[in-house]
Amino acid sequence: MKTLVLDKTQINVAAELLKNGGVVGIPTETVYGLAADALNGEAVAKIFKAKGRPMDNPLIVHIADFGDIDRFGLVETIPESARLLAKHFWPGPLTMIMKRTDVIPNEVSAGLDTVAIRFPSHPVAQEIIRAANTPLAAPSANLSGSPSPTTARHVLNDMDGKIDAVLDGGASEVGVESTVITLAAGVPRVLRPGGVTVEELRGVLGEVEVDDAVLHQLKEGVAAASPGMKYKHYAPKANVILLKGADDEYIEYVNARAGDDVCALCCDEDLLSLKVKTVSLGRRGDYLTHARHLFDCLRGIDENKTVLTVYSRLPSTEGVGLAVYNRLIRAAGFEVIDLEKV
Ligand code: TXA
Ligand code: MG
């Protein structure tokens, strides 16, 4: 299959492909999505094939107006908490899980009785959804297990020849996937941290829980609330190792292991002191910038075939830092070295 590369003047081409059951890479403010008509099970099945995604991992349904939830009859009843959150954070990097109706094909919900819904803020994403006149199911547009794509080039690197088209809408602003919160039962619970922070969610709803799988590896045999959390994720081919400790201890540890096959994923302030290859996420403490650069940095490291080991500091769990922490700890397969103990 030839993959077309479209620009912002070709939204209608993308919409036509989608209406006809095609799969198109689309820009969103978080990461690029691999979109298909969410109400067409056959079209959605093609997404799983292109990504090599396990069929038991459900997809997010993207809408272009809060009213689309009722217009397309996606959920049984909209919880009050969803209306409140939508007022504050939609359109934007927040996905809400609610009880679904039978309108949602099995391919989208992967057998669950819920559906994840997001109203993205990216103007191109909104225009494509409106032009296609249907909600779009879209996971991140990477091969399953690889870092998510934040540019059209990243999408092509993974999907060229496997999908109908990708629409280039520039680099994604947020850089990590949306925050996923379930409102389907009991106290609202964050299943995946993202651009909307836990602190912000608590500011609106009061009590909000954070699922165990956000910070820790799931124990053998425990069912994942969000099936995506159980898979090895975001991993570059090089081995990522996280180091916990003070700045100077980190520099000393990495420099003692200097070599051609070593790279440090670091902050701007570390660049002069490190004696190995470096890739910087941005200024220390600037978590928004770290999030924006994370996946591009991980993909860039992979393009350098000599790098076998990547050392990074264990990120902070504050604000959007929690999203970076959550992705990096998975990229590292939960391997953390405590520098106080070495
Ligand atoms: O920012 C984003 O959310 C991007 C853009 C394209 O919108 N999409 C994205 O999709 O990251 P994906 O499929 O890569 O991640 C969706 C996550 C997965 O971990 C999946 O298991 C979870 O959301 N999920 C989807 N529907 C769910 C449901 N009904 N219940 C629990 N978890 C669900
Ligand atoms: Mg993904």
Side-chain angles (χ1 to χ4, degrees):
M1 174 189 299
K2 168 125 183 68
T3 300
L4 300 174
V5 181
L6 307 173
D7 65 33
K8 285 185 231 175
T9 67
Q10 295 174 293
I11 284 169
N12 284 331
V13 179
E16 261 332 287
L17 288 167
L18 289 163
K19 279 190 198 168
N20 291 317
V23 176
V24 179
I26 65 166
T28 88
E29 73 278 18
T30 55
V31 301
Y32 273 68
L34 205 56
D37 179 352
L39 307 184
N40 176 347
E42 248 173 70
V44 171
K46 295 181 195 166
I47 297 176
F48 285 86
K49 190 157 175 255
K51 273 184 71 97
R53 180 177 175 110
M55 292 298 288
D56 70 347
N57 196 359
L59 304 182
I60 295 172
V61 173
H62 297 71
I63 56 174
D65 188 278
F66 187 81
D68 283 353
I69 301 178
D70 279 337
R71 181 155 83 97
F72 294 107
L74 305 179
V75 310
E76 281 172 10
T77 42
I78 302 176
E80 208 40 52
S81 52
R83 291 182 193 281
L84 259 175
L85 290 178
K87 214 181 266 169
H88 283 84
F89 304 114
W90 272 5
L94 178 68
T95 296
M96 302 191 227
I97 295 175
M98 307 174 223
K99 281 266 188 306
R100 72 174 174 90
T101 61
D102 291 340
V103 165
I104 306 292
N106 262 324
E107 287 83 356
V108 172
S109 58
L112 300 178
D113 62 355
T114 53
V115 60
I117 302 179
R118 181 162 101 81
F119 176 4
S121 65
H122 198 297
V124 174
Q126 293 183 3
E127 283 182 54
I128 296 174
I129 297 165
R130 287 195 193 109
N133 197 28
T134 184
L136 297 179
S140 49
N142 51 291
L143 285 174
S144 207
S146 292
S148 292
T150 55
T151 66
R153 186 177 65 85
H154 293 165
V155 177
L156 275 177
N157 284 348
D158 281 17
M159 294 295 161
D160 198 11
K162 295 186 171 148
I163 58 175
D164 294 289
V166 57
L167 195 145
D168 190 345
S172 297
E173 268 292 303
V174 178
V176 290
E177 306 88 337
S178 61
T179 303
V180 177
I181 187 167
T182 178
L183 308 171
V187 178
R189 191 153 38 99
V190 171
L191 304 183
R192 180 178 73 184
V196 173
T197 66
V198 174
E199 294 87 334
E200 288 173 315
L201 292 167
R202 287 188 177 137
V204 172
L205 291 185
E207 199 184 355
V208 172
E209 291 174 353
V210 176
D211 198 78
D212 259 358
V214 167
L215 288 169
H216 308 288
Q217 187 162 24
L218 280 173
K219 296 206 174 59
E220 201 79 35
V222 173
S226 178
M229 283 293 176
K230 72 184 176 201
Y231 297 107
K232 183 164 168 140
H233 237 108
Y234 315 111
K237 289 169 199 94
N239 189 24
V240 179
I241 297 173
L242 296 178
L243 302 172
K244 187 178 163 196
D247 297 336
D248 51 339
E249 288 173 330
Y250 164 71
I251 306 260
E252 196 184 318
Y253 185 92
V254 175
N255 283 344
R257 282 154 188 81
D260 260 0
D261 55 344
V262 171
C263 174
L265 182 63
C266 62
C267 298
D268 290 351
E269 288 81 353
D270 306 322
L271 290 171
L272 289 176
S273 327
L274 283 164
K275 296 188 171 57
V276 299
K277 275 191 230 36
T278 50
V279 176
S280 177
L281 290 167
R283 294 182 65 83
R284 183 165 297 132
D286 183 356
Y287 306 133
L288 282 175
T289 302
H290 296 185
R292 187 175 310 137
H293 292 160
L294 178 68
F295 290 135
D296 188 52
C297 287
L298 291 177
R299 281 177 175 260
I301 290 169
D302 260 355
E303 278 169 18
N304 185 330
K305 302 267 185 285
T306 54
V307 171
L308 300 178
T309 307
V310 183
Y311 291 112
S312 170
R313 296 258 333 257
L314 188 67
S316 158
T317 55
E318 229 179 88
V320 177
L322 182 63
V324 176
Y325 181 103
N326 171 269
R327 307 312 188 269
L328 265 180
I329 194 126
R330 283 176 167 72
F334 295 90
E335 187 172 354
V336 180
I337 295 176
D338 188 343
L339 296 177
E340 311 254 284
K341 293 184 185 149
V342 293

